[in-house]
């Protein structure tokens, strides 16, 4: 995987009228380089972890470009949404994945995973949700932030509305940003997220929530084709109950760890979703924050202060636990492999990828480090 560094100069003047119509702002962009993930690590300090037979366990063939310092305006809410975009540096039309960060996090989270997806032929868009500002307001008062995140339904709605606003502007983005011209397949859109971001994926996927003012409220966006929730919300919190997932009919994969209540709390969404293209993966040794970039291995919902998150989170996160670099390496690899198989199956229509998932490929090729379920 080759990652380029380019500096973009902004919109052409002829695009400004269209920008005003769509509410799209393009500030000077940078295409920043990221470090390529090494192809092999050791875990436990003694041996390499199993990768033979995994689906696409190494970065793909596409070079990756990164657009940063972007904003789109949602004029209906008078909100400017910061974006960071990872894209294949090649011609062609690619499926789009929107990634929602954890509570109080930012668009900087999960850079390694989005680099990987882009190298495999996906455009990945990271927004910074408004709760980042709320986290800054409360500072180190983690309890105050968690209490608000669990009870303030305007925060939940705002996240879902960010996702839909981004989908609304996909056409405008590729018309106005030369690096994206012709690259966004607006008919193949997926959404992924971590923690509060996984909850956000539930909302746009059709979960029913009690907002306090209305029961069985849905924020479903039917333009979305598939979803992934990493370390998702469970229990009767944020307006959820056992009936909340009854209308989530889209293909959905949830991911959790043995040190993150992966077979109990984090499995509830999978348990209560209707059958059909649903998957749940549990990774041995994974904690709530270990899926994020290495710098966030001790973070909260978003995976660390530099990784786009808080130092601790709510909803039962065990975010104080750390994992070794060796353990985090295989957690990342198994997440990359299973997630790109899921995207290939449901955004690219790859039947071999779907068969890999249905036959428990992520588990069969992990040497016992992964449990994988489907229904």
């Amino acid at each position: 995987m080759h990652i380029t560094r380019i500096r973009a100069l902004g919109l052409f003047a002829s695009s400004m009228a269209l920008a005003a119509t769509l509410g799209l702002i393009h500030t000077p962009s940078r295409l920043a380089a990221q470090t390529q993930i090494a192809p092999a690590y050791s875990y436990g300090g003694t041996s390499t972890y199993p990768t033979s037979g995994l689906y696409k366990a190494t970065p793909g063939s596409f070079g990756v470009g990164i657009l940063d310092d972007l904003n789109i305006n949602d004029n209906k809410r008078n909100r400017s949404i910061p974006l960071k975009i990872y894209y294949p540096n090649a011609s062609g039309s690619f499926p789009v994945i929107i990634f929602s960060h954890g509570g109080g996090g930012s668009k900087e989270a999960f850079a390694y995973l989005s680099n990987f997806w882009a190298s495999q032929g996906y455009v990945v868009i990271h927004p910074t949700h408004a709760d980042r500002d709320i986290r800054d307001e409360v500072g180190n008062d983690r309890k105050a932030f968690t209490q608000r995140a669990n009870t303030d339904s305007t925060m939940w709605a705002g996240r879902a509305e960010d996702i839909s606003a981004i989908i609304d502007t996909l056409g405008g983005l590729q018309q106005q940003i030369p690096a994206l011209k012709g690259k966004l397949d607006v008919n193949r859109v997926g959404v992924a997220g971590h923690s509060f971001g996984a909850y956000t994926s539930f909302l746009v996927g059709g979960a029913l929530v009690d907002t306090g003012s209305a029961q069985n409220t849905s924020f479903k966006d039917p333009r979305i084709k598939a979803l992934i929730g990493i370390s998702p919300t469970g229990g009767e919190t944020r307006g959820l109950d056992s009936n909340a997932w009854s209308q989530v009919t889209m293909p959905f994969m949830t991911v959790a760890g043995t040190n993150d209540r992966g077979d109990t709390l984090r499995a509830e969404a999978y348990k209560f979703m209707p059958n059909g293209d649903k998957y749940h993966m549990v990774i041995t040794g994974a904690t709530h924050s270990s899926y994020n970039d290495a710098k966030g291995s001790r973070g909260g919902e978003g995976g660390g202060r530099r990784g786009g998150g808080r130092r601790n989170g709510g909803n039962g996160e065990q975010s104080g636990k750390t994992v070794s670099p060796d353990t985090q390496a295989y957690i990342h690899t198994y997440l990359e492999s299973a997630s790109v198989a899921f995207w290939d199956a449901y955004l690219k229509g790859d039947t071999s990828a779907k068969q890999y998932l249905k036959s428990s490929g992520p588990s069969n090729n992990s040497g016992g480090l992964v449990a994988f379920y489907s229904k």
Side-chain angles (χ1 to χ4, degrees):
M1 176 179 65
H2 177 67
I3 301 174
T4 58
R5 181 189 293 273
I6 304 172
R7 180 171 291 278
L9 298 178
L11 287 172
F12 293 107
S14 61
S15 298
M16 295 305 292
L18 181 59
T21 301
L22 294 174
L24 178 66
I25 298 175
H26 180 282
T27 53
S29 304
R30 67 178 183 271
L31 295 177
Q34 299 286 341
T35 302
Q36 182 173 328
I37 301 169
Y41 300 82
S42 62
Y43 70 94
T46 57
S47 61
T48 58
Y49 57 87
T51 59
S52 178
L54 287 179
Y55 186 91
K56 295 185 178 180
T58 56
S61 60
F62 291 106
V64 177
I66 304 172
L67 285 160
D68 206 348
D69 297 333
L70 299 170
N71 291 270
I72 60 169
N73 276 349
D74 182 352
N75 293 329
K76 292 180 293 185
R77 296 182 292 153
N78 192 29
R79 166 156 163 72
S80 179
I81 308 171
L83 300 181
K84 186 171 188 176
I85 302 176
Y86 303 77
Y87 64 93
N89 196 7
S91 60
S93 180
F94 302 97
V96 176
I97 302 166
I98 303 170
F99 188 90
S100 177
H101 60 74
S106 79
K107 58 187 172 61
E108 303 303 326
F110 283 80
Y112 83 93
L113 186 58
S114 292
N115 266 298
F116 182 83
W117 288 341
S119 80
Q120 301 287 356
Y122 294 89
V123 176
V124 190
I125 302 176
H126 286 236
T128 294
H129 296 296
D131 51 83
R132 172 69 182 200
D133 296 332
I134 297 170
R135 192 211 74 177
D136 291 340
E137 289 174 10
V138 301
N140 292 325
D141 191 344
R142 299 186 297 268
K143 184 177 179 180
F145 182 91
T146 300
Q147 176 67 20
R148 184 163 176 181
N150 286 345
T151 59
D152 186 350
S153 61
T154 63
M155 190 186 296
W156 317 337
R159 282 174 154 261
E161 289 162 353
D162 281 353
I163 302 299
S164 293
I166 292 168
I167 299 174
D168 289 342
T169 58
L170 290 179
L173 283 170
Q174 62 181 343
Q175 287 180 30
Q176 296 168 55
I177 302 176
L180 298 180
K181 186 175 182 180
K183 282 188 168 63
L184 309 183
D185 187 337
V186 300
N187 295 311
R188 294 187 291 170
V189 177
V191 172
H194 172 249
S195 193
F196 206 173
Y199 174 81
T200 306
S201 71
F202 292 157
L203 294 181
V204 296
L208 304 175
V209 294
D210 180 354
T211 64
S213 59
Q215 293 184 334
N216 295 326
T217 301
S218 175
F219 298 93
K220 183 175 182 178
D221 193 319
R223 296 171 294 182
I224 298 166
K225 306 302 182 187
L227 306 106
I228 294 177
I230 304 168
S231 195
T233 300
E236 295 189 1
T237 186
R238 294 176 184 167
L240 297 170
D241 59 25
S242 60
N243 185 57
W245 295 281
S246 63
Q247 301 303 308
V248 181
T249 56
M250 302 176 191
F252 211 122
M253 183 168 76
T254 51
V255 180
T258 57
N259 290 335
D260 189 28
R261 293 191 272 182
D263 56 351
T264 54
L265 181 76
R266 309 295 180 191
E268 287 187 3
Y270 172 77
K271 176 182 177 181
F272 292 118
M273 285 181 192
N275 292 348
D277 299 313
K278 304 299 191 303
Y279 306 92
H280 182 60
M281 179 166 72
V282 181
I283 306 175
T284 298
T287 66
H288 185 69
S289 302
S290 58
Y291 318 96
N292 203 347
D293 302 280
K295 63 189 178 186
S297 62
R298 214 189 148 135
E301 284 214 15
R305 294 181 185 271
R306 293 183 59 202
R310 300 178 289 104
R311 197 163 293 281
N312 281 297
N315 276 332
E317 292 100 355
Q318 298 179 27
S319 47
K321 293 189 175 183
T322 59
V323 297
S324 70
D326 295 337
T327 300
Q328 192 168 51
Y330 74 68
I331 292 168
H332 286 189
T333 294
Y334 295 141
L335 174 58
E336 289 171 335
S337 172
S339 63
V340 81
F342 179 81
W343 296 132
D344 282 0
Y346 295 103
L347 295 183
K348 293 184 177 180
D350 188 323
T351 56
S352 64
K354 187 173 182 178
Q355 179 57 35
Y356 174 82
L357 297 172
K358 295 290 186 183
S359 62
S360 297
S363 175
N364 297 339
N365 297 288
S366 70
L369 291 172
V370 169
F372 196 79
Y373 309 92
S374 65
K375 66 178 186 178

